[in-house]
């Protein structure tokens, strides 16, 4: 007996990402996210973060957008099962809405998030000065860097970056791909979707949440 062959994927990476962030409604303030990419021992954390934000956003008035969130990863997600997102409507005020999201899988909480949404209005405004870094046009993507240094990289890095993903990343500091000596726990990285996304700010925010987990852990680990 032979297994049927799996048909080739036709979706582009950015289309597949948008589909992952597009949740199924299964009840009042209850949503279900697809399992995402198979072949990994756990669900990518950015997927859970992006899906949780997407779930919370669907319970808020369209005029309000997320302006802050705090997420806590409790247990690794199982890529063989979908994830349920239960949203608590904590408060809807005159300008702000607050939500709590619990991600559940196999009757266990694997992630929790608190998020705040804000209506557009004028107020105090400030920002940090832009770092003095080269523009993305002058840099190589991580995919190109991995190809150039393939023989010097460990197997985990090779496996992780050989995929064609929905986010293109162009790091400024590349010495961590040349060896394994200790470095300062700081990275500058340009990133963008590999192709234009739908013209919906909520989708853009969910994609940004998805992408935010790419460099969090390895930025800390480069010091070791």
């Amino acid at each position: 007996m032979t297994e049927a062959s799996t048909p080739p994927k036709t979706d582009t990476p950015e289309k597949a990402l948008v589909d992952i962030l597009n949740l199924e409604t299964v009840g009042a303030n209850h949503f279900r996210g697809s399992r995402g990419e198979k072949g990994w021992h756990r669900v990518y954390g950015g997927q859970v973060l992006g899906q949780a934000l997407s779930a919370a956003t669907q319970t808020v008035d369209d005029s309000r957008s997320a302006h802050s969130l705090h997420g806590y990863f409790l247990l690794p997600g199982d890529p063989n099962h979908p994830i349920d997102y239960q949203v608590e409507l904590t408060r809807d005020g005159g300008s702000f809405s607050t939500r709590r999201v619990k991600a559940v899988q196999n009757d266990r909480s694997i992630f929790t998030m608190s998020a705040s949404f804000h209506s557009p209005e004028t107020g105090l405004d400030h920002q940090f000065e832009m770092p003095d870094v080269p523009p993305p046009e002058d840099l190589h993507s991580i995919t190109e860097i991995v190809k150039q240094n393939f023989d010097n990289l460990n197997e985990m890095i090779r496996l992780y970056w050989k995929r064609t993903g929905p986010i293109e990343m162009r790091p400024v500091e590349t010495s961590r791909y040349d060896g394994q000596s200790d470095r300062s726990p700081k990275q500058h990285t340009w990133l963008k979707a590999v192709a234009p996304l739908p013209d919906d700010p909520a989708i853009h925010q969910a994609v940004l949440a998805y992408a935010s987990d790419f460099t969090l852990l390895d930025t800390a680990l480069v010091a070791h």
Side-chain angles (χ1 to χ4, degrees):
M1 178 177 176
T2 59
E3 295 183 355
S5 59
T6 301
K9 293 183 178 180
T10 57
D11 283 348
T12 59
E14 71 279 3
K15 173 63 165 56
L17 174 56
V18 171
D19 288 344
I20 286 175
L21 299 174
N22 185 21
L23 308 182
E24 173 192 359
T25 301
V26 295
N29 307 317
H30 184 183
F31 306 89
R32 181 164 296 151
S34 63
R35 65 192 68 181
E37 187 172 354
K38 295 183 179 180
W40 296 92
H41 65 286
R42 63 182 180 185
V43 177
Y44 166 58
Q47 174 187 321
V48 180
L49 189 63
Q51 288 182 334
L53 178 58
S54 178
T57 301
Q58 294 185 56
T59 69
V60 177
D61 187 277
D62 290 343
S63 65
R64 300 183 178 187
S65 60
H67 73 95
S68 71
L69 63 83
H70 300 269
Y72 300 89
F73 294 93
L74 308 177
L75 292 170
D78 185 345
N80 297 309
H81 299 280
I83 304 173
D84 281 1
Y85 295 90
Q86 302 166 2
V87 183
E88 174 192 297
L89 280 59
T90 308
R91 183 176 185 272
D92 287 308
S95 299
F96 291 87
S97 293
T98 305
R99 298 292 185 265
R100 287 180 58 83
V101 183
K102 180 168 65 174
V104 179
Q105 197 176 53
N106 300 324
D107 296 322
R108 299 191 301 171
S109 297
I110 65 170
F111 174 84
T112 62
M113 185 187 76
S114 297
S116 181
F117 296 78
H118 186 208
S119 298
E121 60 183 349
T122 58
L124 298 175
D125 189 11
H126 70 272
Q127 64 182 11
F128 292 109
E129 184 178 349
M130 174 70 185
D132 183 17
V133 296
E137 295 79 10
D138 294 346
L139 301 170
H140 294 290
S141 70
I142 286 185
T143 302
E144 295 170 329
I145 294 170
V146 167
K147 288 181 179 179
Q148 295 170 359
N149 299 277
F150 191 81
D151 293 336
N152 298 325
L153 301 176
N154 64 51
E155 184 177 356
M156 183 176 296
I157 293 180
R158 293 178 185 176
L159 177 64
Y160 188 79
W161 290 116
K162 76 176 183 179
R163 302 174 300 164
T164 301
I167 306 297
E168 179 185 337
M169 302 174 59
R170 298 194 179 195
V172 175
E173 297 87 8
T174 61
S175 60
R176 69 176 305 243
Y177 299 100
D178 302 329
Q180 297 187 14
S181 60
D182 297 345
R183 296 167 179 82
S184 173
K186 180 171 63 177
Q187 292 192 83
H188 296 96
T189 303
W190 293 96
L191 57 86
K192 69 171 184 176
V194 295
L197 298 170
D199 189 18
D200 182 349
I203 293 178
H204 287 245
Q205 287 192 324
V207 170
L208 179 60
Y210 174 94
S212 68
D213 193 38
F214 274 124
T215 57
L216 284 179
L217 184 59
D218 61 338
T219 300
L221 291 178
V222 292
H224 306 281

